[in-house]
Amino acid sequence: MKYFCIRQMDETDCAAACLSTICKQYGVNKNVTKIREMAGTDKNGTNGIGVIKAATELGYKAYGIEDSVNILLLYTGRNSMYTLFSVCI
């Protein structure tokens, strides 16, 4: 299986680039700029709620779990695959 990697344009794009890469992996082309808008990314980056909101708008099920690491689970719904993000809060 080929793996895609969408690069971030600046230091605030990590969440948007991650979601864009996941979309690309599943055959959906969503650019980083559009995902930044969906997630409400600002000069400080994207917060966990913004990532969940954007992922949901893109058709994924996303869950935030608050613990010592702050993990965001993204369920792709394809082959029961989970993707883990470490979110700085």
Side-chain angles (χ1 to χ4, degrees):
M1 174 183 239
K2 184 175 181 179
Y3 176 75
F4 297 96
C5 181
I6 307 298
R7 296 177 187 250
Q8 56 189 90
M9 296 179 222
D10 65 37
E11 64 274 359
T12 64
D13 283 340
C14 51
C18 243
L19 283 174
S20 183
T21 298
I22 292 167
C23 289
K24 180 78 172 175
Q25 193 67 32
Y26 290 101
V28 177
N29 289 315
K30 287 287 182 187
N31 67 37
V32 173
T33 304
K34 179 65 177 168
I35 295 174
R36 282 178 58 96
E37 292 171 10
M38 295 167 85
T41 303
D42 61 18
K43 66 180 180 172
N44 296 316
T46 308
N47 63 29
I49 293 170
V51 177
I52 292 169
K53 180 178 174 276
T56 302
E57 283 185 43
L58 291 165
Y60 299 107
K61 292 180 184 175
Y63 307 93
I65 299 172
E66 186 175 357
D67 63 9
S68 62
V69 183
N70 296 313
I71 297 292
L72 176 73
L73 298 177
L74 179 66
Y75 178 60
T76 64
R78 299 172 177 96
N79 300 322
S80 299
M81 183 178 134
Y82 285 87
T83 303
L84 302 176
F85 293 85
S86 176
V87 181
C88 299
I89 297 177

